[in-house]
Amino acid sequence: MSEVLRRLRPAATAFPRRLAPSTLRGRLSLVALVTATLLMLVLTVAFNAVAQHRLRHQADDELRARAAAVATAVDTSGTKVRVLETSHDDLLDANVWIYSGRRLLEAPTGAGSLTRVADTLAGHGGRRCATIDVRGPLRLCSQPVPGAKSEATVVTALDLSPYRNSADTLLLGSLVLDAVMLACTYALTRLAVGRALRPVRTMTDQAAQWSAVTSEERFGSMRHPDELARLGASLDAILDRTRTLLRHERQLTGELSHELRTPLSRIIAELDWWRTRPRTADQTHATHQVIADAAESMRTICDTLLEDARNGTLTAPGTAEVLPTLRRLTEALDVPGHLTLTTDGAPPLVAGVPPNLLERIVSPLLANACRYARTSVAVRSYSAPDGVRVDITDDGPGVPPSFAGQLFEPGRRADPGDGHAGAGLGLPLARRLARSVGGAVAHDPGHAPGARFVVSLPAG
């Protein structure tokens, strides 16, 4: 039994959900319809209660008016109550009872059980009324006749069927009016909600057409109600964050491909060289070692760039001796013999960054210098009051003055058709990595001929 109830419970809870409209317009219209139905129900009950009370009051007034008319034919001036003969004797025969005290003087023909009710009302004295249902609803009221010596009472009866019919007609009319009002309410609510949600549909269609990366369109630039304006501002912020994330992702992809190009080229070159002719075991071992070193360099590059992409700052602790790291870097880059390495100061210079990060910062600058130098490249490391400096100088054409302001912008090259492969990502990457550890990469515009870049790093 418990298993059956457990299986039926989800179906029972899911049933109302299936009845609920799936659209916001339908739900709001349903809420408005239910609210209007409850309000109409309360108003209808109140209106019909007031109408019935008013009709009963009118019936009582009619009975009292008839009793007052009959009282004019009752003489109470003497010791006995006398019913005077008038030209309207038929009025005394139409549901009218006249009493002297408790004694019945006049009664309508064929009154039957109504006389007993009239006797009860007259016996209690004063103004009293009662409603009975004998072959239809009837209302009886007693009215004392003023007199100095004799006490007389007139009881009159009235058929309530016309009043009941009027009450039923009012109830039916109010129900029909309620139905019409509810239908109009539902239709107008759907129309109003549809018009109110039209800007939302427009925003949805626009969002489907816009590109989060390339489009400059924004919801905040359009005129909307205050609620939708706040929603548009939130959506604009989401679009901006999405565009920033996609831009960072593309930048990371470009930087990875840029940095991995050199070790990958070494691996390909070694494999091509190894395949050209038979090699000795020592040569094969040397080729394997070069490939292993290049693969390890690729792994280090990936770890460094991915860590920077995840955290925004490189917090891995470590220090690096500048001169051995630069020497290892030049060997890995296979720089020609016109490169000179110098260092100032007797103690070994130590930078407060890991060796792999120092390589990633200096590598793009050194690669550019070797690519554009005519005869020589000079790398000089020295201490400074706020850390360690590394100068990379070449005697090439230098940086055009018109391009100096765009030098560190990703994807920018002074002359894309100069015959040198490159994506314009090396210098921006070097500066970003240096800044992530509190350093800097700057171009010296006053150096001529050639180009001079200065790397500033914290001391170890």
Coordinates of all heavy atoms in Angstrom, one line a residue, residues 252-266 293-310 314 329 332-333 355-361 363-364 429 432-433:
L252 N 44.9 34.0 -24.9 CA 45.6 32.9 -24.4 C 46.0 31.9 -25.5 O 47.1 31.4 -25.5 CB 44.8 32.2 -23.3 CG 45.4 31.0 -22.7 CD1 46.8 31.3 -22.0 CD2 44.5 30.3 -21.7
T253 N 45.0 31.6 -26.3 CA 45.3 30.7 -27.4 C 46.4 31.2 -28.3 O 47.3 30.5 -28.7 CB 44.0 30.5 -28.3 OG1 43.0 30.0 -27.4 CG2 44.2 29.5 -29.4
G254 N 46.4 32.5 -28.7 CA 47.4 33.1 -29.5 C 48.8 33.1 -28.8 O 49.8 32.8 -29.5
E255 N 48.8 33.4 -27.5 CA 50.1 33.4 -26.8 C 50.7 32.0 -26.7 O 51.9 31.8 -26.8 CB 49.9 34.0 -25.4 CG 49.6 35.5 -25.4 CD 49.2 36.0 -24.0 OE1 49.0 35.2 -23.1 OE2 49.1 37.2 -23.9
L256 N 49.8 31.0 -26.5 CA 50.3 29.6 -26.4 C 50.9 29.2 -27.7 O 52.0 28.6 -27.8 CB 49.2 28.7 -26.0 CG 48.8 28.6 -24.5 CD1 47.6 27.7 -24.3 CD2 50.0 28.0 -23.7
S257 N 50.2 29.5 -28.8 CA 50.7 29.1 -30.1 C 52.0 29.9 -30.4 O 52.9 29.3 -31.0 CB 49.6 29.4 -31.2 OG 49.3 30.8 -31.3
H258 N 52.1 31.1 -30.0 CA 53.3 31.9 -30.3 C 54.5 31.4 -29.5 O 55.6 31.3 -30.1 CB 53.0 33.4 -29.9 CG 54.2 34.3 -30.0 ND1 55.1 34.4 -29.1 CD2 54.5 35.1 -31.1 CE1 56.0 35.3 -29.5 NE2 55.7 35.7 -30.7
E259 N 54.2 31.1 -28.2 CA 55.3 30.6 -27.4 C 55.8 29.2 -27.8 O 56.9 28.8 -27.6 CB 55.0 30.7 -25.9 CG 54.9 32.1 -25.4 CD 56.2 32.8 -25.4 OE1 57.1 32.3 -24.7 OE2 56.4 33.8 -26.1
L260 N 54.8 28.3 -28.2 CA 55.1 27.0 -28.5 C 55.7 26.8 -29.9 O 56.2 25.7 -30.2 CB 53.9 26.1 -28.4 CG 53.2 26.0 -27.0 CD1 51.9 25.2 -27.1 CD2 54.2 25.3 -26.0
R261 N 55.7 27.9 -30.7 CA 56.2 27.7 -32.0 C 57.7 27.4 -32.1 O 58.2 26.6 -32.8 CB 55.9 29.0 -32.8 CG 56.3 28.9 -34.3 CD 56.1 30.2 -35.0 NE 54.6 30.5 -35.1 CZ 54.1 31.6 -34.4 NH1 54.8 32.4 -33.7 NH2 52.8 31.8 -34.5
T262 N 58.5 28.1 -31.2 CA 59.9 27.9 -31.2 C 60.4 26.5 -30.8 O 61.1 25.8 -31.5 CB 60.6 28.9 -30.3 OG1 60.3 30.2 -30.8 CG2 62.1 28.7 -30.3
P263 N 59.9 26.0 -29.6 CA 60.3 24.6 -29.3 C 59.8 23.6 -30.2 O 60.4 22.5 -30.5 CB 59.8 24.4 -27.8 CG 58.7 25.4 -27.7 CD 59.2 26.6 -28.5
L264 N 58.6 23.8 -30.8 CA 58.0 22.9 -31.8 C 58.9 22.9 -33.0 O 59.1 21.8 -33.7 CB 56.6 23.2 -32.1 CG 55.8 22.3 -33.0 CD1 55.8 20.9 -32.4 CD2 54.4 22.8 -33.2
S265 N 59.3 24.0 -33.4 CA 60.2 24.1 -34.6 C 61.5 23.4 -34.4 O 62.0 22.7 -35.3 CB 60.5 25.6 -35.0 OG 59.3 26.3 -35.3
R266 N 62.0 23.4 -33.2 CA 63.2 22.7 -32.9 C 63.0 21.2 -33.0 O 63.8 20.4 -33.5 CB 63.7 23.0 -31.5 CG 64.2 24.5 -31.3 CD 64.9 24.7 -30.0 NE 66.0 23.8 -29.8 CZ 66.6 23.6 -28.6 NH1 66.1 24.1 -27.5 NH2 67.7 22.8 -28.6
D293 N 64.3 18.2 -24.3 CA 64.4 19.6 -23.7 C 63.4 20.5 -24.3 O 62.7 21.3 -23.6 CB 65.8 20.1 -24.0 CG 66.9 19.4 -23.3 OD1 66.6 18.7 -22.3 OD2 68.1 19.5 -23.7
A294 N 63.1 20.3 -25.6 CA 62.1 21.2 -26.2 C 60.7 20.8 -25.7 O 59.8 21.7 -25.5 CB 62.1 21.0 -27.7
A295 N 60.4 19.5 -25.5 CA 59.1 19.1 -24.9 C 59.0 19.6 -23.5 O 57.9 20.1 -23.1 CB 59.0 17.6 -24.9
E296 N 60.1 19.6 -22.7 CA 60.0 20.1 -21.3 C 59.8 21.6 -21.4 O 59.0 22.2 -20.6 CB 61.3 19.8 -20.6 CG 61.4 20.4 -19.2 CD 60.3 19.7 -18.3 OE1 59.8 18.6 -18.6 OE2 60.0 20.4 -17.2
S297 N 60.4 22.3 -22.4 CA 60.1 23.7 -22.5 C 58.7 24.0 -22.8 O 58.1 25.0 -22.3 CB 61.0 24.3 -23.6 OG 60.8 25.7 -23.8
M298 N 58.1 23.2 -23.7 CA 56.7 23.4 -24.1 C 55.8 23.2 -22.8 O 54.8 23.9 -22.6 CB 56.3 22.4 -25.2 CG 57.0 22.6 -26.5 SD 56.6 21.4 -27.7 CE 54.9 21.7 -28.0
R299 N 56.1 22.1 -22.0 CA 55.3 21.9 -20.8 C 55.5 23.1 -19.9 O 54.5 23.6 -19.3 CB 55.8 20.7 -20.1 CG 55.0 20.3 -18.9 CD 55.6 19.1 -18.2 NE 56.8 19.5 -17.5 CZ 56.9 20.1 -16.4 NH1 55.8 20.5 -15.7 NH2 58.1 20.4 -15.9
T300 N 56.6 23.7 -19.7 CA 56.8 24.8 -18.8 C 56.1 26.0 -19.3 O 55.5 26.8 -18.6 CB 58.3 25.2 -18.7 OG1 59.0 24.0 -18.3 CG2 58.6 26.3 -17.8
I301 N 56.1 26.2 -20.7 CA 55.4 27.3 -21.3 C 53.9 27.2 -21.0 O 53.2 28.2 -20.5 CB 55.6 27.4 -22.8 CG1 57.0 27.8 -23.0 CG2 54.6 28.4 -23.4 CD1 57.4 27.7 -24.5
C302 N 53.3 26.0 -21.2 CA 51.9 25.8 -20.9 C 51.6 26.0 -19.4 O 50.6 26.7 -19.1 CB 51.5 24.4 -21.3 SG 51.5 24.1 -23.1
D303 N 52.4 25.5 -18.5 CA 52.1 25.7 -17.1 C 52.1 27.2 -16.7 O 51.3 27.6 -16.0 CB 53.1 24.9 -16.3 CG 53.0 23.4 -16.4 OD1 51.9 23.0 -16.9 OD2 53.9 22.7 -16.1
T304 N 53.1 27.9 -17.2 CA 53.3 29.3 -16.9 C 52.1 30.1 -17.4 O 51.5 30.9 -16.6 CB 54.6 29.9 -17.5 OG1 55.7 29.1 -17.0 CG2 54.7 31.3 -17.1
L305 N 51.7 29.9 -18.7 CA 50.6 30.7 -19.2 C 49.3 30.3 -18.7 O 48.4 31.2 -18.4 CB 50.6 30.6 -20.7 CG 51.9 31.2 -21.5 CD1 51.7 31.0 -23.0 CD2 52.1 32.6 -21.1
L306 N 49.0 29.1 -18.4 CA 47.8 28.7 -17.9 C 47.6 29.1 -16.4 O 46.5 29.5 -16.0 CB 47.6 27.1 -17.9 CG 47.5 26.6 -19.4 CD1 47.4 25.0 -19.3 CD2 46.2 27.1 -20.0
E307 N 48.7 29.1 -15.7 CA 48.6 29.6 -14.3 C 48.3 31.1 -14.3 O 47.5 31.6 -13.5 CB 49.9 29.4 -13.6 CG 49.9 29.8 -12.1 CD 51.2 29.6 -11.4 OE1 52.2 29.0 -12.0 OE2 51.3 29.9 -10.2
D308 N 48.9 31.8 -15.2 CA 48.6 33.3 -15.3 C 47.2 33.5 -15.7 O 46.5 34.4 -15.2 CB 49.6 33.9 -16.3 CG 49.2 35.4 -16.5 OD1 49.3 36.2 -15.5 OD2 48.8 35.8 -17.6
A309 N 46.7 32.7 -16.6 CA 45.3 32.8 -17.1 C 44.3 32.5 -16.0 O 43.2 33.1 -15.9 CB 45.0 31.9 -18.3
R310 N 44.6 31.5 -15.1 CA 43.7 31.1 -14.1 C 43.7 32.2 -13.0 O 42.6 32.5 -12.4 CB 44.1 29.8 -13.5 CG 43.7 28.6 -14.4 CD 43.8 27.3 -13.6 NE 45.2 27.1 -13.2 CZ 46.1 26.4 -13.8 NH1 45.8 25.8 -14.9 NH2 47.3 26.2 -13.3
L314 N 50.9 35.7 -11.0 CA 51.7 34.5 -10.8 C 52.3 34.6 -9.4 O 53.1 35.4 -9.1 CB 52.8 34.5 -11.9 CG 52.4 34.3 -13.3 CD1 53.5 34.5 -14.3 CD2 51.8 32.9 -13.5
L329 N 68.7 30.3 -22.0 CA 67.7 30.7 -22.9 C 68.3 30.9 -24.3 O 67.8 30.5 -25.3 CB 67.1 32.0 -22.5 CG 66.0 32.6 -23.4 CD1 64.9 31.7 -23.6 CD2 65.6 34.0 -22.8
A332 N 68.9 27.6 -25.9 CA 67.6 27.0 -26.3 C 67.1 27.6 -27.6 O 66.5 27.0 -28.4 CB 66.6 27.0 -25.2
L333 N 67.3 28.9 -27.7 CA 66.8 29.7 -28.9 C 67.7 29.5 -30.1 O 67.4 30.0 -31.2 CB 66.7 31.2 -28.6 CG 65.6 31.5 -27.6 CD1 65.6 33.0 -27.3 CD2 64.2 31.1 -28.2
P355 N 62.7 30.7 -12.6 CA 63.5 30.7 -13.8 C 62.6 30.6 -15.1 O 62.9 31.2 -16.1 CB 64.4 29.5 -13.7 CG 64.5 29.3 -12.2 CD 63.2 29.7 -11.6
N356 N 61.6 29.7 -15.0 CA 60.8 29.6 -16.2 C 60.0 30.9 -16.6 O 59.8 31.2 -17.8 CB 59.8 28.4 -16.1 CG 58.9 28.6 -14.9 OD1 59.1 29.5 -14.0 ND2 57.8 27.8 -14.8
L357 N 59.6 31.6 -15.6 CA 59.0 32.9 -15.8 C 59.9 33.9 -16.4 O 59.6 34.7 -17.3 CB 58.3 33.4 -14.6 CG 57.5 34.8 -14.7 CD1 56.4 34.6 -15.8 CD2 57.0 35.2 -13.4
L358 N 61.2 33.9 -15.9 CA 62.2 34.8 -16.5 C 62.4 34.5 -17.9 O 62.5 35.4 -18.8 CB 63.5 34.7 -15.7 CG 64.7 35.6 -16.1 CD1 64.3 37.0 -16.2 CD2 65.9 35.3 -15.3
E359 N 62.5 33.2 -18.3 CA 62.6 32.9 -19.7 C 61.5 33.3 -20.5 O 61.7 33.8 -21.6 CB 62.8 31.3 -19.8 CG 64.1 30.8 -19.2 CD 64.2 29.3 -19.3 OE1 63.3 28.7 -20.1 OE2 65.1 28.7 -18.8
R360 N 60.2 33.2 -20.0 CA 59.1 33.6 -20.8 C 59.0 35.1 -21.0 O 58.4 35.5 -22.0 CB 57.8 33.1 -20.1 CG 57.7 31.6 -19.9 CD 57.2 30.9 -21.1 NE 58.0 31.0 -22.3 CZ 59.1 30.3 -22.5 NH1 59.6 29.5 -21.6 NH2 59.8 30.5 -23.6
I361 N 59.5 35.8 -20.0 CA 59.5 37.3 -20.2 C 60.6 37.8 -21.2 O 60.4 38.6 -22.1 CB 59.8 38.0 -18.8 CG1 58.6 37.7 -17.9 CG2 59.9 39.5 -19.0 CD1 58.8 38.2 -16.5
S363 N 62.3 35.8 -23.4 CA 62.3 35.1 -24.7 C 61.8 35.9 -25.9 O 62.4 36.0 -26.9 CB 61.6 33.7 -24.5 OG 61.5 33.1 -25.8
P364 N 60.6 36.5 -25.8 CA 60.0 37.2 -26.9 C 60.9 38.4 -27.3 O 61.1 38.7 -28.5 CB 58.6 37.7 -26.5 CG 58.3 36.7 -25.4 CD 59.6 36.4 -24.7
L429 N 52.8 39.8 -24.4 CA 52.9 38.7 -23.4 C 54.1 39.0 -22.4 O 53.9 38.8 -21.2 CB 53.2 37.4 -24.1 CG 53.5 36.2 -23.2 CD1 52.3 35.9 -22.3 CD2 53.8 35.0 -24.1
R432 N 52.9 41.7 -20.0 CA 51.8 41.2 -19.1 C 52.4 40.3 -18.0 O 52.1 40.3 -16.8 CB 50.8 40.4 -19.8 CG 49.6 40.0 -19.0 CD 48.4 39.6 -19.8 NE 48.7 38.5 -20.7 CZ 48.6 37.2 -20.3 NH1 48.3 36.9 -19.0 NH2 48.9 36.2 -21.1
L433 N 53.3 39.4 -18.4 CA 53.9 38.5 -17.4 C 54.8 39.2 -16.4 O 54.8 38.9 -15.2 CB 54.7 37.4 -18.1 CG 53.9 36.4 -19.0 CD1 54.9 35.4 -19.7 CD2 52.9 35.6 -18.1

